[in-house]
Amino acid sequence: DCDGLTVAFGALLKTIGFTVLGRVISVKENPDQPVHIYPMVGLPKDNPRRWMALDATVEGSTPCWQYPGIAQVKDYLL
């Protein structure tokens, strides 16, 4: 599930020196209720200036893909 994968990916990426965020989102249908989390990896590794989503729990997602219909986002340093 999404929270377990975020923790696993985050731990693996941090082990090799990346900065990782957990992105928690809500959708337009219920903007005050968090419904999903996925890891965001900072690039480049030594001085992050951009963030790449790594959401592998949604079928068909690829690196950089983000959930459509996002209402609110909160990022947490892992």
Side-chain angles (χ1 to χ4, degrees):
D1 63 350
C2 62
D3 54 345
L5 183 86
T6 298
V7 170
F9 268 19
L12 291 170
L13 289 163
K14 286 177 61 88
T15 298
I16 57 173
F18 284 93
T19 303
V20 183
L21 301 174
R23 175 159 286 178
V24 177
I25 64 164
S26 64
V27 293
K28 293 177 183 174
E29 296 79 23
N30 195 355
D32 295 322
Q33 179 65 39
V35 295
H36 193 51
I37 185 170
Y38 50 91
M40 302 284 292
V41 62
L43 299 171
K45 181 172 154 178
D46 58 343
N47 185 21
R49 291 186 300 279
R50 66 184 195 278
W51 297 90
M52 181 172 66
L54 295 174
D55 189 352
T57 61
V58 177
E59 187 174 335
S61 66
T62 58
C64 297
W65 180 90
Q66 293 198 60
Y67 200 87
I70 293 174
Q72 292 187 36
V73 171
K74 285 194 177 188
D75 291 331
Y76 298 92
L77 188 60
L78 298 180

